[in-house]
Amino acid sequence: MELQVPDMTCGHCSGVIERAVQNVDARAKVDIDIATRTVRIESTRPANDFVSAIREAGYSASVRA
Ligand SMILES: [Cu+2]
């Protein structure tokens, strides 16, 4: 799945987001591209779980269609 996180602007943001993702699924594979504000996640958990966790961490997130 691919999430769009428009306010992820630096390595600090991506670190916070990576932790939020791994709190949902410790075995998730996370690939973050700051330049395109994209968080790619390989996981069996539903995308909305990750969207909620990222929002709780203080960022806006949406599923990229
Ligand atoms: Cu930042």
Side-chain angles (χ1 to χ4, degrees), residues 7-16 34 59:
D7 44 9
M8 174 177 70
T9 54
C10 71
H12 168 76
C13 302
S14 64
V16 170
I34 295 169
Y59 295 91

Side-chain angles (χ1 to χ4, degrees), residues 17-65:
I17 287 161
E18 187 166 351
R19 273 194 300 280
V21 167
Q22 257 145 15
N23 280 339
V24 173
D25 178 1
R27 290 181 300 174
K29 277 179 69 180
V30 196
D31 182 39
I32 293 179
D33 183 17
I34 295 169
T36 59
R37 315 283 200 260
T38 301
V39 179
R40 199 168 291 117
I41 303 169
E42 275 181 45
S43 170
T44 54
R45 299 283 299 267
N48 274 340
D49 287 8
F50 296 105
V51 169
S52 302
I54 292 170
R55 285 183 181 158
E56 274 165 34
Y59 295 91
S60 52
S62 57
V63 180
R64 187 184 258 171

